């Protein structure tokens, strides 16, 4: 203030000086703030988003995909290691790279087929001669299937064994397993089951309970090929699965490295004995193609099965073959020779330092490993990620952009074996994820079948996905335009098209696109449950924009999934010719990423949980109320808690609406952002699901009962009604307490942090 | 910049204007920052601390104590409820109150003696007549002991029962239990044990293992009275315990409401059946005074015990009485008639909203309930807390002060029954504690015996306690002066006096006062372990500044502890006449509080964990290395992790030293503060100690083995060497992994948050 006093002492000509002073002081004052004040209030730049979207290039995505899917690259193979180097070099490129890049290695427990001793399913006559052996490899319909590194069909971690009459002391006949357990005696049989519905290993675990001694699993053309089983109708003539195609897969319930639960699989880490691994069946299992399955199923005796597939014969249940068949009086054998081994698997991590909130992370990831060439799964997602990092990396290196928050990119290893790379990452980086990560975006299979966006996440993610899907790039962009390209309908935004295809009537918003709220979440599981509280939002893009209209197919997934036919040729001919759907996914996912990384206020809608909570409550009231009353358990406190949540989230929404730059300090704004970031954590409880590896989110744990409400409560209620024991009714009350406390905690997180 | 351009266009007289502009723009620019910019950089005001310390008034503390200890006020009694109202009214006072005040109620499981059916220990002749019955109540040495509401001596939750010959079918003889289990047969005996060492209930749980059927517990004058047992040597003539004094207490291992583990004891909460409560012995137990104990012990037969107390006779082990005694051929009876009940207990909470970081909390608390009058335990601490809130509340209401961070004060209920009020609070406020609380300060027994400060906490708290204890108020303050008042030595600071009495040689700092790092932490347990990750620092003041020099007493605690003699009369005559020691505690604790609430950078020393970690490592290497090598378990990764922690903490220390106001944005400063706040959480692991209620801090869980290293590792090693099974050696490796991962996580939290 000394200058002011000096100036004030000058009378006379000082008037002009005074005017100058006033102008200089008040008129130019904004520029005298420290530079960081300006930076603090730099909000999301919509023009930058459009620029980003314009620069996303479908040709480059195509070239990415070609490079990524050139060779079979199962986890830890040389081809997988080559892709590690490819991604490292892209992210370290001085022109388009990120701030910091590194690879993280874990020694993880894997399982591979023995190439010298191929797994198979056989039919053996009583004299020991073989009348049928399943194919060791898919038919070479293009050059891709001739690649020497193709992994033979198998189920990773499936127990070894040869199930024969000698080993079991009984005659292992074949039975078709279609919810038949209660009508035919399965004891001592080998069951053949189709893919679809519950997970692979769960089919075997269930079958085991009925005495089944081995499981054969196949893909029925009815579920994947719209009924078509003629070779001429399938790839390379169409997108349908050829008769020799076999879906490979992991055969375990739990995710992450199985020898190091809860801890990163480092050299120092204690490894449990293999015998203590849980969530794997005890009986051998092997997948086969529908060509092979047809021979087995169409020769079965027994009565007609309640479910009929598309193999061109009547499906009987067995057990055993009809007397007139080639296989009569024969045994079925499953021969599994898998080799379990510990191998070094890499994650590749890339980091962009945030300008304003460097200790807040937005994550974006996908896995890198495939079962065979993996053009669609996972390379379509990686091709998209590399295009996003190319465009953003260039802006960064040119000094034209730096996100408000830090961004972490991850290329995960060994996902196909059960989300291993990302789980080990979450275990190692637990404290950073728990304390600093606001959201996780996963784009695995970027494009596969339907004609619309498909997004998955927890309810607060809905608003940012909607915002991104509504974005139009501008009139000067001619291809894709961030708009859906469906023959005959070229003018819709992603949002409108999505709403046309999949929608729901929201009590709060009216008709809106249907988001999937973490049903069967994949990466969600990792981020939600690992280490018990490391919980972030997940945004997932799949099933997007193909020429194949979902209305014209009933395929449960794209037909070449996990087979030797998931190749660049297949992807570029039948999934996304021209790669404009990939481009739109890259634009939309990148848009979501930028909104999360650059917005002053995190674009997450805490209020959007209300609908789900009320649905959960209504279901519980509708289904449970009578019996709960009988046992003197009240649902009222749950209703009270949900109302508290509703009020808290609406108040927070108002607070956010009223936040004015000049009125609120950076720490006040951070306070609100932290409430949004920490919301999901408040719903977790590491003691809610004892003995269930990693599950801690009270709303999103999986459930086995059919009640669409809090999973712990739903399952406890199911059990109590079955057993009707005092103990089990106590467990219902216990689980209700857990649900109430979780909602109360979430409400408390959203309420004014400046009060008790 | 428009104004600038306009000004630039005016030539001629514009020169003066230009000068004005320049001056106005550059010379006065600092004042043009928004007000919050100034507030953001307002650091701790040392002058305010001195002002606070000056205003802390010993007379008011004395009056607080008189009001708080006027009546016996066991948890949930009318007198306890009256104190709830007293605290509410103080904190709601318009002149000296806080911003927000409320009471929180929980329905908690308690245990009381039956006043119509007093517990007792008796000796019964074979004809059924009684030759001895322990006193139902302490002798009325002052009017205080005549109060009608005094609770009879008992152990809360001790199982009911009358242990007699009829009930047990054997002759329950008395045995003296002094680590004798291996030398005499305790089966079927009643044991008499003294207080001290392990907890009350653990004595009974241990005794039970040897077949003991009931436990009598007494206070030996050797441990509490420096050997003096003559009534004339004790209160009201001195601070020593009178012969009739009985220490009451809780008789359970676990803390918190026992029917609602992990959840607040609200109306909606599921309550486990009493039969499922763990951590209580199955055998009855009753405390008695040493006057009564003398009759029993001095008549015991058997050989001379290896430990001899101060009851004026030779202590024999028993079992049984000498034939020449009154009690020969008699049985000993324990009669316990405790009543278990659920009652409503209140916490009182007070809140001061932070000016800059309102969503960061510094907590300060103490319990309110006592066993009898509770002048020292806990009212000395509450008297101090009310004086701190009076001085700060006045400054607040006068508009002279508002802390940077929010402050939460808590007056906890039902602590004596096992930390119930604070545990239920932590369970209910779990998410707020986990995400926003930087430190918790607990001052329970503020003054009791020694001539020095005694502080307890985790290592990062050391620096702020040292800083506060070094503070001098100034020359114009004449009483206490924030300086120790020991006869003949009036010039020392709290710090210097502390160092004179209790010190250690630190490799980093040289000779410094000895802080207790959470040994036997009380409130630490609550904050550290509740809900599995809600972990904050604890600063604890006890044992401070009395006229009784610790060098002249070997009392394990102040002699009137938990008896009917812990009264205002006792406190004001023998513990702190003039209340200047209370005053110094209030000054020091308030000083710590203000440093935590007002400093821009949290005054917590992350580097101060290094010494402890290195000590832990060295102990593990020294004790375990040979056997670990045999089992191929390497300690090297632990060393690596500790070195990583050391580097990270030193780098952070440098970063903090280099932080300059103008260079760093508020969010950068917050980043560092969050690293400090979240450090303790990074050491927790909710799966580290399965089946151990609430324990999750990998460094601070209790251990049963004697190795001074990571408690999980220490106990696992102990067990493995005893059993030498493969499984138990696996558990050692598992626990070592947990320790390594915890240190790695803590290092990761401290490392640059702006990197991967």
């Amino acid at each position: 203030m000394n200058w002011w006093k000096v100036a004030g002492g000058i009378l006379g000509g000082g008037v002009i000086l005074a005017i100058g002073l006033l102008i200089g002081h008040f008129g130019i004052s904004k520029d005298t703030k420290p530079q960081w004040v300006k930076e603090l209030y730099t909000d999301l730049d919509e023009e930058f988003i459009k620029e980003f979207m314009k620069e996303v290039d479908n040709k480059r995505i195509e070239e990415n995909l070609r490079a990524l899917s050139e060779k079979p690259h199962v986890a830890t193979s040389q081809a997988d290691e080559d892709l590690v180097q490819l991604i490292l070099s892209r992210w370290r490129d001085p022109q388009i790279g990120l701030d910091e890049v590194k690879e993280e290695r874990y020694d993880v427990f894997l399982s591979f087929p023995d190439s010298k001793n191929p797994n198979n399913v056989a039919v053996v006559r009583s004299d020991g001669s073989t009348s049928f052996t399943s194919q060791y490899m898919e038919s070479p319909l293009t050059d891709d299937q001739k690649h020497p590194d193709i992994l033979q069909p198998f189920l990773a971690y499936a127990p070894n064994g040869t199930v024969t009459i000698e080993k079991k002391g009984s005659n292992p006949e074949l039975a078709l397993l279609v919810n038949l357990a209660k009508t035919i005696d399965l004891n001592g049989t080998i069951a053949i089951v189709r893919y679809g519905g519950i997970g692979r290993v769960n089919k075997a675990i269930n079958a085991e309970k009925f005495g089944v001694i081995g499981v054969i699993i196949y893909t029925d053309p009815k579920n994947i090929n719209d009924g078509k089983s003629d070779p001429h109708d399938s790839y390379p003539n169409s997108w349908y699965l050829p008769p020799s195609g076999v879906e490979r897969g992991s055969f375990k319930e739990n995710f992450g490295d199985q020898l190091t639960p809860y801890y990163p699989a480092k050299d120092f880490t204690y490894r449990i004995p293999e015998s203590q691994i849980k969530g794997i069946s005890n009986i051998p299992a092997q997948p086969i193609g529908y060509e092979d399955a047809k021979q087995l199923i169409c020769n079965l005796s027994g009565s007609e099965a309640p479910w009929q597939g598309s193999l061109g014969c009547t499906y009987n249940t067995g057990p055993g073959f009809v007397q007139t068949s080639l296989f009569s009086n024969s045994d079925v054998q499953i021969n599994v020779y898998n080799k379990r081994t510990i191998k070094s698997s890499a994650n590749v991590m890339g980091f962009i330092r945030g300008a304003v909130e460097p200790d807040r992370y937005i994550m974006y990831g996908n896995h890198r490993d495939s079962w065979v060439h993996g053009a669609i799964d996972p390379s379509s997602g990686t091709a998209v990620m590399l295009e996003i990092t190319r465009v953003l990396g260039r802006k960064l290196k040119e000094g034209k952009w730096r996100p408000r928050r830090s961004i972490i990119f991850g290329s995960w290893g060994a996902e196909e074996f059960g989300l291993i790379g990302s789980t080990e990452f979450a275990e190692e980086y637990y404290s950073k994820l728990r304390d600093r990560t606001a959201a996780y975006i996963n784009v695995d299979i970027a494009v596969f079948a339907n004609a619309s966006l498909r997004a998955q996440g927890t309810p607060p993610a809905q608003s940012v996905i909607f915002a991104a899907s509504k974005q139009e790039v501008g009139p000067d962009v001619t291809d894709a335009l961030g708009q859906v390209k469906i023959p005959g309908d070229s003018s819709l935004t992603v949002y409108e098209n999505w709403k046309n295809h999949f929608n729901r009537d929201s009590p709060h918003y009216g008709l809106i696109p249907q988001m999937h709220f973490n049903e069967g979440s994949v990466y969600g599981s990792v981020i939600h449950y690992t280490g018990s509280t490391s919980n972030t939002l997940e945004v997932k893009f799949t099933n997007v924009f193909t020429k194949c209209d979902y209305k014209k197919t009933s395929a449960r997934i794209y037909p070449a999934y996990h087979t030797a036919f998931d190749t660049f040729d297949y992807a570029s001919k039948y999934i996304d010719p021209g790669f404009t759907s990939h481009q739109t996914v890259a634009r939309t996912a990148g848009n979501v990423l930028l909104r999360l990384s650059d917005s002053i206020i995190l674009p997450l809608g805490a209020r959007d949980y209300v609908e789900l909570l009320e649905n959960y409550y209504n279901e519980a009231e509708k289904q449970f109320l009578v019996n709960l009353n009988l046992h003197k358990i009240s649902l009222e406190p749950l209703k009270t808690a949900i109302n508290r949540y509703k009020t808290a989230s609406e108040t927070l929404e108002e607070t956010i609406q009223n936040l004015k730059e000049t009125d609120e300090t950076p720490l006040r704004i951070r306070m609100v952002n932290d409430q949004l970031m920490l919301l999901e954590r408040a719903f977790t409880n590491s003691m809610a699901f004892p003995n269930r590896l990693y599950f801690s989110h009270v709303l999103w744990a999986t459930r086995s009962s059919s009640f669409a409400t809090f999973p712990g409560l739903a399952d406890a209620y199911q059990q109590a009604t079955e057993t009707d024991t005092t103990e089990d009714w106590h467990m219902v009350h216990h689980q209700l307490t857990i649900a109430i406390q979780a909602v109360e905690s979430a409400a408390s997180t959203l309420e004014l942090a400046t009060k008790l």
Side-chain angles (χ1 to χ4, degrees), chain A:
Chain A
M1 294 291 269
N2 285 338
W3 281 108
W4 183 260
K5 284 176 188 165
V6 168
I10 303 169
L11 299 173
V15 173
I16 299 177
L17 184 68
I19 292 171
L21 280 167
L22 286 167
I23 293 169
H25 185 54
F26 294 106
I28 322 180
S29 63
K30 280 188 180 170
D31 285 329
T32 65
K33 287 179 193 171
Q35 174 61 18
W36 56 258
V37 173
K38 199 178 153 196
E39 273 179 11
L40 280 170
Y41 293 120
T42 304
D43 204 349
L44 175 75
D45 180 353
E46 295 274 351
E47 289 309 312
F48 179 79
I49 288 191
K50 288 184 183 171
E51 216 175 299
F52 159 79
M53 289 173 81
K54 279 182 202 170
E55 293 185 22
V56 167
D57 183 346
N58 51 330
K59 293 294 170 202
R60 288 181 189 264
I61 296 175
E62 180 174 359
E63 290 318 305
N64 288 343
L65 189 68
R66 194 191 304 274
L68 291 165
S69 63
E70 188 191 346
K71 298 175 190 168
H73 55 284
V74 72
T76 73
S77 65
Q78 185 55 51
D80 182 39
E81 291 294 336
D82 290 347
L83 294 186
V84 169
Q85 295 307 317
L86 182 151
I87 295 169
L88 283 171
S89 73
R90 293 282 183 97
W91 288 354
R92 284 178 176 152
D93 186 300
Q95 310 300 320
I96 59 163
L98 313 177
D99 288 333
E100 190 195 346
V101 182
K102 67 177 174 180
E103 71 183 280
E104 291 268 10
R105 296 200 156 266
Y106 303 95
D107 299 319
V108 301
F109 182 66
L110 302 179
S111 163
F112 296 97
D114 180 355
S115 59
K116 293 171 192 155
N117 220 359
N119 294 348
N120 64 78
V121 170
V123 180
V124 183
R125 298 189 193 89
S126 51
D127 67 0
S129 63
T130 301
S131 52
F132 165 86
T133 306
S134 62
Q135 296 170 59
Y136 293 167
M137 205 65 101
E138 277 110 337
S139 304
L141 303 180
T142 73
D143 281 352
D144 285 326
Q145 288 80 44
K146 295 172 190 159
H147 197 287
D149 295 342
I150 292 178
L151 222 56
Q152 294 151 355
F154 81 121
L155 296 170
Y157 308 106
N160 285 358
T162 295
V163 178
T164 65
I165 192 166
E166 291 81 15
K167 291 239 168 154
K168 287 285 167 183
S170 69
N171 193 338
E173 294 187 300
L174 191 69
L176 182 70
L177 194 57
V178 199
N179 295 327
L180 287 182
K182 284 161 192 165
T183 62
I184 66 165
D185 181 11
L186 291 167
N187 200 42
T189 63
I190 285 175
I192 184 163
V193 301
R194 67 194 148 100
Y195 271 116
I198 61 169
R200 300 170 196 101
V201 74
N202 301 100
K203 290 172 190 277
I205 288 173
N206 287 348
E208 213 179 332
K209 292 175 190 158
F210 295 103
V212 169
I213 59 173
V215 166
I216 302 164
I217 187 161
Y218 81 105
T219 307
D220 199 284
K222 186 170 186 178
N223 301 124
I224 202 89
N225 276 2
D226 295 317
K228 297 195 165 56
S229 60
D230 188 301
H232 298 97
D233 289 336
S234 61
Y235 182 78
N237 300 315
S238 80
W239 85 322
Y240 289 125
L241 182 67
S244 67
V246 186
E247 181 183 322
R248 293 152 184 80
S250 177
F251 198 65
K252 63 186 182 91
E253 275 191 312
N254 296 322
F255 45 82
D257 177 58
Q258 294 177 100
L259 299 186
T260 59
Y262 306 125
Y263 304 99
K266 295 285 194 182
D267 58 350
F268 66 76
T269 310
Y270 166 65
R271 283 168 170 76
I272 64 171
E274 276 189 46
S275 59
Q276 285 177 22
I277 293 176
K278 284 171 189 157
I280 298 183
S281 80
N282 297 303
I283 56 177
Q286 176 66 14
I288 60 173
Y290 63 82
E291 188 170 34
D292 285 340
K294 181 175 181 175
Q295 295 204 51
L296 298 174
I297 290 172
C298 291
N299 283 312
L300 277 179
S301 64
S303 53
E304 192 177 329
W307 185 88
Q308 295 292 318
S310 301
L311 292 175
C313 64
T314 299
Y315 290 29
N316 293 322
T317 61
F321 297 108
V322 292
Q323 285 299 326
T324 54
S325 86
L326 265 176
F327 300 157
S328 67
N329 299 317
S330 297
D331 293 338
V332 175
Q333 273 187 358
I334 298 180
N335 300 298
V336 179
Y337 310 102
N338 293 338
K339 294 193 291 190
R340 295 177 174 193
T341 177
I342 292 179
K343 297 196 81 174
S344 170
S345 172
N347 291 336
V348 185
M349 314 284 301
F351 190 80
I352 301 178
R353 198 181 63 256
V356 179
E357 301 186 73
D359 60 337
R360 287 295 176 267
Y361 310 138
I362 308 296
M363 292 194 58
Y364 184 114
N366 181 30
H367 70 100
R368 186 186 59 252
D369 65 308
S370 60
W371 281 123
V372 195
H373 297 79
I376 294 300
D377 178 8
S379 305
S380 62
T382 307
V384 160
M385 177 164 70
L386 289 179
E387 178 59 5
I388 291 173
T389 59
R390 182 191 68 84
V391 177
L392 293 181
R394 182 178 299 281
K395 299 288 182 194
L396 187 74
K397 296 292 183 186
E398 289 173 352
K400 291 182 179 163
W401 169 78
R402 180 167 288 285
R404 179 181 179 89
R405 302 179 181 85
S406 294
I407 300 176
I408 301 177
F409 291 97
S411 168
W412 313 123
E415 186 264 5
E416 294 293 5
F417 291 83
L419 314 184
I420 292 179
S422 54
T423 302
E424 301 313 298
F425 162 78
E427 288 167 345
E428 179 165 6
Y429 284 79
Y430 172 63
S431 56
K432 285 190 173 174
L433 291 174
R434 181 189 56 193
D435 300 333
R436 301 176 189 157
T437 307
Y440 174 71
I441 303 168
N442 195 74
V443 182
D444 182 350
I445 297 171
V447 179
F448 82 60
N450 295 323
S452 156
L453 185 72
R454 185 177 181 278
Q456 180 169 310
T458 57
Q462 179 175 274
S463 55
V464 65
I465 294 174
F466 283 4
S469 66
K470 283 174 180 169
Q471 190 116 26
E472 298 186 38
V473 183
D476 54 327
V477 178
T478 51
D479 67 342
L481 281 168
Q483 294 171 8
V484 184
K485 287 290 195 188
I486 297 171
D489 192 353
S490 62
S491 62
L492 291 174
T493 61
V494 170
Y495 180 88
E496 287 298 330
N497 178 66
W498 182 11
K499 195 167 80 175
N500 289 347
H501 281 86
F502 303 104
N503 56 55
R504 68 186 180 93
D505 204 16
S506 154
H508 194 65
Y509 296 106
L511 197 73
I512 52 172
Q514 169 78 60
M515 228 182 92
H516 295 265
F517 292 142
N518 276 37
E519 295 154 10
S521 173
V522 180
Y523 278 93
S525 324
V526 178
I527 303 294
H528 272 255
Y529 311 122
T530 291
S532 86
T533 56
S534 174
N535 187 34
T536 69
L537 293 162
E538 178 206 25
V539 182
K540 191 180 171 73
F541 288 86
T542 58
N543 310 23
V544 190
F545 306 115
T546 83
K547 291 202 170 177
C548 176
D549 190 332
Y550 82 100
K551 287 173 179 164
K552 294 177 187 157
T553 181
S554 64
R556 63 179 177 84
I557 195 164
Y558 70 100
Y561 174 73
H562 283 199
T563 73
F565 303 108
D566 183 358
T567 60
F568 179 78
D569 182 67
Y570 179 88
S572 58
K573 279 190 182 141
Y574 297 111
I575 299 288
D576 188 20
F579 287 83
T580 52
S581 291
H582 278 78
Q583 184 180 38
T584 305
V585 172
R587 285 171 170 167
T588 311
N591 190 328
V592 170
L593 175 64
L594 287 169
R595 286 175 183 278
L596 287 163
S597 65
D598 285 7
S599 301
I600 287 187
I601 305 287
L602 281 168
L604 301 172
R607 201 206 163 283
D608 290 337
Y609 251 124
V610 172
E611 228 173 278
L612 180 106
L613 292 173
E614 287 179 343
N615 287 344
Y616 272 16
Y617 178 83
N618 292 336
E619 172 83 351
E621 190 180 65
K622 182 177 153 201
Q623 303 281 357
F624 306 161
L625 195 63
V626 174
N627 273 325
L628 291 185
N629 281 345
L630 278 179
H631 291 88
K632 295 181 181 155
I633 302 169
S634 171
L635 279 174
E636 275 305 308
L638 179 59
K639 194 172 208 168
T640 307
I642 292 171
N643 286 337
R644 179 180 169 194
Y645 182 92
K646 189 177 179 191
T647 304
S649 65
E650 285 168 352
T651 306
L652 184 66
E653 206 165 68
E654 279 167 37
T655 303
I656 291 171
Q657 292 301 331
N658 295 333
L659 275 182
K660 298 229 176 70
E661 292 183 9
T662 47
D663 294 331
E664 289 300 336
T665 74
L667 292 178
R668 290 286 184 134
I669 293 169
R670 168 66 79 101
M671 180 166 78
V672 170
N673 279 328
D674 277 359
Q675 289 176 295
L676 294 168
M677 177 178 84
L678 295 169
L679 172 59
E680 295 291 342
R681 272 79 151 180
F683 281 118
T684 63
N685 176 344
S686 63
M687 278 161 297
F689 309 102
N691 307 320
R692 294 186 61 194
L693 205 62
Y694 296 125
F695 283 74
S696 74
H697 197 299
V698 171
L699 304 179
W700 299 122
T702 56
R703 61 181 154 78
S704 51
S705 69
S706 60
F707 305 113
T709 186
F710 299 87
L713 179 63
D715 288 357
Y717 181 87
Q718 174 85 30
Q719 181 164 330
T721 50
E722 282 166 18
T723 66
D724 207 26
T725 63
T726 307
E727 271 173 19
D728 282 343
W729 283 108
H730 276 208
M731 194 48 70
V732 172
H733 196 182
H734 189 187
Q735 282 292 340
L736 179 61
T737 299
I738 287 170
I740 294 167
Q741 183 60 20
V743 179
E744 294 274 359
S745 277
S748 165
T749 290
L750 297 184
E751 284 168 359
L752 260 189
T754 58
K755 279 174 65 73
L756 264 180

